[in-house]
């Protein structure tokens, strides 16, 4: 059993968090949930579960927050609901509760590339969207919603040799790339290669 496992048996994710160093929240924003087919919703759930697994490798998993987590998501999600934060409301509300006023939104449509300078934020937001290919411009909508609610949003993209083409766009892979860069200090290109 690792340290986190031992603590987990007696503490809730929130209690566990309060005892450990301040790690950022990794938020998967499900506001576009209803735009998905049932099959796609299943894929979103799977990718959320895989994201939890990844976070557990580095932190505790309790840093994972899923916002707009409605009843259907909670029913369809086969992962440990009690080990993540499933927040049935807007991302901005969750952030306000945590007194977080600025986030990094991972957005393939952003102008700026994610860098070390962004690693000090208290929350990263990834779109809970499943659609292969970069043709539909969906993530910026999440940014707009957050800005309208008064949150400062740094939109940042992940690129491979300067281009978003070739970057895997699965939610869990995007999270994995950030963790490799942030925790292991790997250059972006190398982190992307490892998740291809
Ligand atoms: N067509 C969708 C769009 O317009 O955003 C693609 C969504 S992608 C399948 C799911 C999420 O992964 C996005 O919302 C974003 O947070 C993240 N993502 C995917 N590729 C990315 C990239 N190259 N840079 C930053 N974030 C990315």
């Amino acid at each position: 059993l690792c340290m986190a496992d031992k603590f987990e048996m007696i503490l809730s994710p929130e209690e566990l968090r309060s005892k450990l160093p301040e790690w950022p929240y990794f938020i998967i924003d499900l506001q576009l949930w209803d735009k998905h087919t049932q099959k796609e919703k299943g894929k979103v759930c799977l990718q959320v579960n895989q994201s939890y697994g990844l976070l557990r490798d580095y932190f505790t998993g309790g840093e994972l927050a899923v916002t707009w987590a409605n009843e259907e998501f909670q029913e369809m999600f086969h992962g440990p609901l009690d080990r993540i934060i499933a927040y049935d409301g807007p991302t901005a509300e969750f952030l306000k509760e945590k007194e977080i006023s600025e986030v990094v939104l991972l957005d393939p449509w952003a102008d700026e590339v994610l860098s070390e300078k962004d690693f000090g934020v208290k929350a990263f937001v990834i779109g809970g969207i499943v659609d292969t290919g970069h043709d539909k411009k969906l993530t910026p909508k999440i940014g707009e919603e957050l800005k309208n609610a008064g949150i400062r949003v740094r939109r940042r993209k992940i690129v491979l040799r300067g281009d978003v083409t070739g970057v895997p766009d699965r939610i869990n892979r995007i999270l994995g790339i950030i963790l490799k860069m942030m925790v292991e200090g790997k250059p972006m290109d190398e982190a992307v290669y490892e998740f291809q």
Side-chain angles (χ1 to χ4, degrees):
L1 283 185
C2 72
M3 207 58 166
D5 281 314
K6 284 186 194 148
F7 277 125
E8 246 180 27
M9 287 192 258
I10 38 174
L11 301 172
S12 73
E14 288 286 328
E15 285 165 339
L16 182 61
R17 237 192 104 80
S18 66
K19 303 229 176 297
L20 293 166
E22 222 187 289
W23 291 321
Y25 285 102
F26 294 90
I27 302 173
I28 299 177
D29 183 308
L30 295 189
Q31 70 176 271
L32 298 173
W33 175 259
D34 288 332
K35 302 254 182 278
H36 292 89
T37 61
Q38 289 310 109
K39 197 173 162 197
E40 287 168 337
K41 286 175 184 172
K43 285 189 188 174
V44 172
C45 289
L46 181 66
Q47 292 180 28
V48 172
N49 207 352
Q50 288 168 334
S51 300
Y52 168 72
L54 262 175
L55 272 172
R56 281 214 54 152
D57 291 343
Y58 290 92
F59 305 125
T60 69
E63 311 68 27
L64 183 66
V66 182
T67 54
W68 303 91
N70 62 18
E71 227 170 273
E72 189 180 27
F73 165 78
Q74 304 201 22
E75 272 163 24
M76 286 181 75
F77 182 64
H78 298 306
L81 252 193
D82 54 334
R83 294 280 148 226
I84 64 170
I85 303 166
Y87 186 85
D88 188 8
T91 306
E93 249 170 55
F94 172 77
L95 292 167
K96 282 178 188 162
E97 278 181 20
K98 303 292 173 199
E99 297 180 354
I100 296 173
S101 55
E102 183 175 33
V103 298
V104 164
L105 171 67
L106 279 303
D107 182 354
W109 303 93
D111 292 327
E112 281 188 54
V113 176
L114 177 74
S115 80
E116 265 175 26
K117 287 177 272 168
D118 301 312
F119 294 158
V121 287
K122 295 208 171 81
F124 292 87
V125 180
I126 300 175
I129 304 164
V130 165
D131 69 328
T132 34
H134 296 282
D135 43 336
K136 275 197 209 144
K137 204 169 176 172
L138 300 170
T139 312
K141 288 186 193 184
I142 296 177
E144 283 310 308
E145 196 259 343
L146 288 171
K147 267 192 235 163
N148 291 341
I151 305 288
R152 266 176 294 145
V153 181
R154 294 195 212 170
R155 293 172 59 214
R156 296 291 184 264
K157 63 182 169 185
I158 293 172
V159 292
L160 176 63
R161 283 181 254 107
D163 202 325
V164 286
T165 329
V167 177
D169 67 357
R170 288 176 64 116
I171 300 159
N172 55 302
R173 297 207 179 161
I174 290 296
L175 174 64
I177 294 166
I178 304 171
L179 293 173
K180 283 248 174 249
M181 289 176 67
M182 202 169 104
V183 186
E184 295 181 26
K186 294 227 163 132
M188 184 175 278
D189 278 357
E190 217 175 288
V192 172
Y193 275 129
E194 287 191 30
F195 278 96
Q196 265 183 327

